[in-house]
Amino acid sequence: MGLRICDDVFLYEDTCHVYVLRDRDSREAVLVDFGSGDVLDHLDDLGVERVTDVLVTHHHRDQVQGLARAVAAGIRIWVPPVEAGLIADVDEHWRTRPLDNSYDVRQDRYSLLEQVPVTGTVAEYRTVRYGPFDIYTHPLPGHTVGSVGYFADIGGRRLAFTGDLIHGEGRVWSLAATQWAYTGFHETAGMEGVAATVLSCMQVLDLEPELLLPSHGDPVTDPPAAVARARAALQELLDMRRRTPWDPEERLRSPWTRITPHLLRNTTSMANSYALLSEHGSALLLDFGYDQTTGLAGGSDRSSRRPLLASIEALRRDHGIDRVEVALPTHYHDDHVAGFNLLREVHGTQVYSPSHIAPVLHSPERWDLPCLWYDPIPVDRELPADGRPLRWREYEIGVHELPGHTLYAAAYSFTADGRSVIATGDQQSTEWEPGIRPELLNYQYRNRFRIDDFVRSAELYRRLRPELMISGHWAPFEVGDDYLDMLLSEGERLARLHRELLPRDVDLGAEGFAARIDPYRSAVAPGGMVTLDAAVLNPFPVRETAEVTLCAPRGWEAEPAALGLEIPPHGEAVAHFRLRVPGNAPRAERRRVAVDVTVGRMRLGQQAEALVSVR
């Protein structure tokens, strides 16, 4: 018999605490966590005939090792969105998890040994009916990156099922679990989960539960006292690594600072996000990536990256905003767009995107680019990036192409409270001090940097002549003529150095490749066909013929096998191929396909590859 928490909630002790939420009339129950599954052998003792749903707080084996029993019993299984892959696709995780020379210290190895199918993911920041109960889900990162907590009003009491966030009277079940990244020279390295635990505990108290029901340890009957005890020790542990004390109150309660009365900067996100406020009570966001971040976890798998919405409540509470209407990306990188889908799901925010960025957002699998977000981000409205203004509420916002940091970037120009502003994403560092600190022209070759990009952006700034520049990772910057002149001079110097260093007679640009294949990633069934487009560059100043041959795994058939293209000087042309996979092809992930390219008399070889999975 389980421990009775209240009339219709029981604690069953297993590899973790399994909480049974019973509906007396229907004799149905919802479980929070599952342990080994032994609870199913004791349902009669608890007055339960059928379990409808299991809600999982986090992916560790002690919470979920018996989930196969739940599947066999026809019970619906709901898991945290960030950790679904560590439960439903954990076989792939074990197959690809780095072992040699790995600096990823997260406890992802404490995952299921064999994957289990799930019904779906829980809806964070929302109340959903599971079986006979209405349950609110809130992100509670700390013990793991993706942990969630569940809040329910049962028998006149508000109960919080908090997983392993807190233990008993104000301890934590594991400090090792809170170390999300390898200890390094940065003062917060190795303390990401400790800081997140403090912020999560504070948010739990904001929801005013009467009882905290942890995965291990006794039920907490005095949540404020338990949180205060844990916070004090965690804060001291965290401050041992810091030069200055960390202020969680300021971080959680006041995430936005004013640049102008109607333009705010989020100081808690990994990359800056900005809120443009309307007198109509709505906001437009420029970028929204990892809100309320305490540092990134090691690795780059889906379970290591988590968007949050903690700062949005502060817009409502402190700035009179009742809705976030629109989000605009300066570029596609994950630290600038990770929260877009969550904004849409929870707040109904629409995503507007410049037309050259939108394809990367809504079809990331097609692109061979760094820093892609894992999931497609639907775009509600595509914008021409030719300077024509977007009209939103009382603002006109100019949309401009801004290649440099990445080819898929934009700048936004607007006037806020009488000041002309330009948002430039990660194009440059905006930390220039003449003779003291040089400006960083932030180019990355894999982002598809082109030699003259920073000349063009400097020329754009000189045409617009903004008073204030806001950027992705640096403080707002007062713009003067000396700064604009410096940017143009540095852009021209960067271009000159590339032209002096790269071959004169073969111009493959800054990227150094003559071809790309679209899509970069695709999946096809045995016997199926995939279409591949190879864009080929002519690196010569005269018209040339290119021979393009598709190189595929043995037994796969390319139609055609090779193509000839006429390409204008320094121009580009596209070769279209259809690739058929044999009907007896075995299941395989990421089979490699390439194009072998000859332009004129120059054999460049296999200049581009794509990955085709057989599923």
Side-chain angles (χ1 to χ4, degrees):
M1 183 71 177
L3 172 68
R4 185 186 297 271
I5 302 297
C6 59
D7 283 348
D8 291 300
V9 178
F10 300 88
L11 184 163
Y12 180 83
E13 291 194 35
D14 196 357
T15 55
C16 70
H17 294 340
V18 176
Y19 292 98
V20 182
L21 286 60
R22 180 187 67 185
D23 179 67
R24 216 174 309 182
D25 295 333
S26 66
R27 292 175 60 84
E28 292 181 338
V30 171
L31 307 182
V32 176
D33 289 322
F34 198 66
S36 71
D38 285 356
V39 67
L40 297 185
D41 300 324
H42 300 274
L43 296 181
D44 285 345
D45 299 337
L46 301 170
V48 172
E49 289 183 357
R50 186 171 80 96
V51 174
T52 62
D53 301 84
V54 173
L55 306 181
V56 174
T57 60
H58 60 287
H59 75 276
H60 283 169
R61 274 200 299 273
D62 54 347
Q63 315 295 124
V64 296
Q65 68 184 56
L67 276 184
R69 287 196 64 182
V71 173
I75 300 169
R76 295 183 292 260
I77 300 170
W78 306 92
V79 300
V82 172
E83 297 185 347
L86 294 178
I87 295 172
D89 198 25
V90 78
D91 293 356
E92 180 69 6
H93 172 74
W94 282 114
R95 189 183 72 80
T96 60
R97 181 174 177 266
L99 299 175
D100 298 320
N101 197 31
S102 172
Y103 282 74
D104 184 355
V105 296
R106 285 179 303 139
Q107 291 187 351
D108 58 336
R109 71 186 187 281
Y110 198 19
S111 299
L112 282 173
L113 303 182
E114 304 289 342
Q115 65 193 33
V116 173
V118 303
T119 307
T121 58
V122 292
E124 295 178 311
Y125 297 104
R126 284 155 286 175
T127 298
V128 173
R129 193 163 188 85
Y130 298 100
F133 295 96
D134 292 325
I135 297 174
Y136 173 78
T137 302
H138 198 82
L140 295 181
H143 185 71
T144 70
V145 176
S147 293
V148 300
Y150 301 109
F151 296 76
D153 295 314
I154 300 175
R157 310 176 81 183
R158 170 157 290 187
L159 309 179
F161 303 89
T162 55
D164 279 325
L165 178 71
I166 199 166
H167 178 273
E169 75 277 18
R171 300 174 183 270
V172 295
W173 179 240
S174 169
L175 281 171
T178 66
Q179 193 168 57
W180 294 354
Y182 200 87
T183 301
F185 298 106
H186 191 275
E187 62 182 16
T188 59
M191 289 289 172
E192 302 80 10
V194 170
T197 297
V198 172
L199 295 175
S200 292
C201 284
M202 294 168 65
Q203 292 174 74
V204 166
L205 293 186
D206 288 344
L207 294 167
E208 299 182 337
E210 184 178 338
L211 279 177
L212 306 186
L213 300 173
S215 288
H216 297 88
D218 295 333
V220 177
T221 58
D222 187 349
V227 166
R229 184 189 188 283
R231 270 192 63 182
L234 290 169
Q235 179 84 41
E236 185 176 353
L237 185 66
L238 180 63
D239 287 344
M240 288 180 67
R241 290 273 184 90
R242 295 179 56 87
R243 296 182 181 91
T244 57
W246 186 63
D247 186 353
E249 296 284 350
E250 177 71 15
R251 187 175 189 83
L252 192 60
R253 308 305 179 204
S254 303
W256 299 94
T257 60
R258 290 191 186 274
I259 300 172
T260 74
H262 290 83
L263 179 61
L264 312 179
R265 175 191 178 200
N266 185 348
T267 59
T268 72
S269 54
M270 177 185 169
N272 291 330
S273 56
Y274 300 91
L276 188 59
L277 309 185
S278 167
E279 293 291 348
H280 298 275
S282 54
L284 176 148
L285 296 182
L286 295 170
D287 292 334
F288 197 79
Y290 301 119
D291 184 39
Q292 205 61 243
T293 183
T294 57
L296 293 183
S300 59
D301 59 289
R302 182 64 184 87
S303 62
S304 68
R305 300 289 182 266
R306 182 173 205 171
L308 297 167
L309 298 178
S311 68
I312 302 302
E313 178 57 33
L315 283 179
R316 295 179 172 180
R317 183 185 65 240
D318 301 331
H319 302 282
I321 296 302
D322 59 16
R323 60 199 177 279
V324 177
E325 287 189 341
V326 174
L328 288 174
T330 58
H331 56 296
Y332 72 88
H333 285 173
D334 63 312
D335 57 329
H336 294 258
V337 302
F340 277 23
N341 283 339
L342 198 56
L343 280 170
R344 180 200 308 279
E345 293 163 8
V346 178
H347 295 292
T349 304
Q350 290 200 317
V351 174
Y352 293 0
S353 172
S355 55
H356 66 296
I357 302 175
V360 187
L361 296 180
H362 61 62
S363 301
E365 75 285 350
R366 298 186 71 92
W367 301 83
D368 177 22
L369 291 167
C371 312
L372 289 164
W373 183 238
Y374 306 90
D375 309 313
I377 299 174
V379 173
D380 299 287
R381 180 178 173 185
E382 293 193 18
L383 309 171
D386 56 6
R388 279 181 283 176
L390 161 69
R391 182 78 185 180
W392 176 77
R393 295 297 180 177
E394 62 265 42
Y395 298 96
E396 285 193 349
I397 303 170
V399 184
H400 314 270
E401 285 196 42
L402 194 70
H405 177 61
T406 169
L407 184 60
Y408 310 101
Y412 300 103
S413 57
F414 55 92
T415 299
D417 302 300
R419 304 208 68 192
S420 60
V421 182
I422 188 165
T424 62
D426 292 349
Q427 185 77 348
Q428 62 279 314
S429 61
T430 64
E431 290 189 311
W432 180 60
E433 293 183 66
I436 300 173
R437 181 182 292 129
E439 184 72 324
L440 168 67
L441 303 185
N442 190 15
Y443 62 92
Q444 314 290 330
Y445 293 106
R446 273 204 64 208
N447 284 335
R448 301 202 59 200
F449 161 66
R450 299 172 305 182
I451 289 172
D452 291 307
D453 281 346
F454 284 90
V455 175
R456 297 189 182 101
S457 63
E459 291 171 343
L460 171 68
Y461 303 153
R462 287 163 71 93
R463 288 197 303 274
L464 297 173
R465 306 201 73 80
E467 299 171 77
L468 191 65
M469 183 175 286
I470 55 176
S471 61
H473 295 273
W474 302 276
F477 189 83
E478 297 282 346
V479 177
D481 287 343
D482 55 347
Y483 181 67
L484 297 179
D485 292 342
M486 178 275 298
L487 286 181
L488 180 59
S489 175
E490 287 297 279
E492 291 172 339
R493 182 160 74 119
L494 183 65
R496 173 181 59 79
L497 288 170
H498 276 78
R499 289 194 168 92
E500 288 181 1
L501 288 165
L502 291 172
R504 177 184 297 174
D505 53 348
V506 182
D507 184 5
L508 293 173
E511 292 181 80
F513 286 97
R516 300 184 313 278
I517 298 178
D518 177 27
Y520 187 71
R521 289 177 284 169
S522 57
V524 63
M529 183 173 287
V530 62
T531 299
L532 301 173
D533 295 333
V536 180
L537 172 71
N538 176 6
F540 303 112
V542 297
R543 189 176 189 87
E544 291 285 7
T545 299
E547 295 295 329
V548 187
T549 302
L550 191 67
C551 307
R554 186 183 301 276
W556 294 24
E557 296 180 5
E559 302 174 7
L563 271 175
L565 299 173
E566 292 293 321
I567 311 180
H570 295 303
E572 191 174 84
V574 179
H576 305 285
F577 296 96
R578 288 161 62 86
L579 184 62
R580 185 179 298 278
V581 177
N584 62 354
R587 180 189 183 280
E589 291 294 312
R590 299 187 181 183
R591 298 299 306 271
R592 277 74 65 195
V593 174
V595 285
D596 197 299
V597 176
T598 298
V599 181
R601 296 182 178 180
M602 178 168 284
R603 174 80 182 271
L604 293 165
Q606 294 179 356
Q607 277 285 296
E609 84 287 340
L611 307 175
V612 181
S613 295
V614 182
R615 299 173 182 164

